[in-house]
Amino acid sequence: MATTLKIWVCLGTAALMTLWLATAWMAADAAEDAGAVDVVVPAGQSGAGTPIAAGGSATTFSLLPPAGASCSGTSIDGYFQHTFIVPVGTEPGAVTFGRFGPDVGLALLQGSAPASGINVATDPPGLITNLGPFNLGAWTAADLPEGEYLVGMACVIGPAGPDHVDRFWSGDLTIRHDDADPAGFVWSRATPPSSTTSTSTTSSSSTTSSSSTTS
């Protein structure tokens, strides 16, 4: 009788563990669309925080998410921030992010380096602090065909792989080819600035560590 009871207890514990693991896996698969970003004048420039309606390949800009935008954890917990510009119709939560950017579309740039694997703040925990300045200057018209895009940032946990996006923020961007631009393209925004985004700006001195993630 005692042996039978022990077997049933073990089976019950195993079943509960299986259910817990399945629930955790399902939760990890569901990337959260956490809201919109505005494309704004970077901190330290005249008119900082003002929305930018259009620009060229050399235009620098920052991304302004809703106030308090944050990842579910810090870089100590394995969370890193990535940027992206992907064709409309792409689900950012399903994109795989690696050391040099997404497997679909491109990363935004800081200087000439992809803005990927950015450390996530520990104080306050998870807060998105690196909002730019970004640019598209190293890309060409061949890299960015004319069309509608989503531009934004994502919180990613763990090594590169499917279903590792925690949450993301995005906004629209239209690319049009223009021979007068040094890289052969210009961009514009169709969506007016969101009334729910933060009006504060963040210093552009936040640290980017593109070697912090593993692919």
Side-chain angles (χ1 to χ4, degrees), residues 2-206:
T3 301
T4 302
L5 182 60
K6 287 181 180 179
I7 292 173
W8 278 108
V9 168
C10 289
L11 289 174
T13 301
L16 287 173
M17 180 62 71
T18 301
L19 178 61
W20 179 84
L21 288 172
T23 302
W25 179 262
M26 290 175 64
D29 285 352
E32 177 189 355
D33 183 346
V37 294
D38 285 338
V39 177
V40 301
V41 176
Q45 296 185 15
S46 177
T50 303
I52 304 174
S57 61
T59 302
T60 58
F61 58 88
S62 289
L63 297 179
L64 190 61
S70 61
C71 300
S72 296
T74 73
S75 293
I76 294 174
D77 307 311
Y79 288 85
F80 294 89
Q81 176 193 343
H82 289 258
T83 63
F84 60 84
I85 175 168
V86 298
V88 163
T90 303
E91 172 54 51
V95 171
T96 295
F97 290 89
R99 184 173 180 179
F100 300 107
D103 64 342
V104 177
L106 301 166
L108 303 182
L109 302 166
Q110 287 195 298
S112 59
S116 301
I118 302 169
N119 288 323
V120 176
T122 56
D123 185 20
L127 185 69
I128 296 293
T129 56
N130 192 326
L131 307 178
F134 303 118
N135 71 87
L136 299 172
W139 306 129
T140 67
D143 299 314
L144 290 167
E146 288 190 321
E148 305 296 320
Y149 290 80
L150 292 176
V151 61
M153 59 183 71
C155 291
V156 171
I157 182 169
D163 305 320
H164 69 159
V165 178
D166 170 41
R167 56 183 59 140
F168 63 89
W169 301 261
S170 64
D172 69 89
L173 203 71
T174 299
I175 297 292
R176 181 174 59 83
H177 290 176
D178 186 338
D179 291 338
D181 183 89
F185 68 89
V186 293
W187 56 264
S188 61
R189 298 208 64 216
T191 305
S194 168
S195 60
T196 61
T197 50
S198 169
T199 57
S200 63
T201 56
T202 303
S203 169
S204 60
S205 62
S206 301

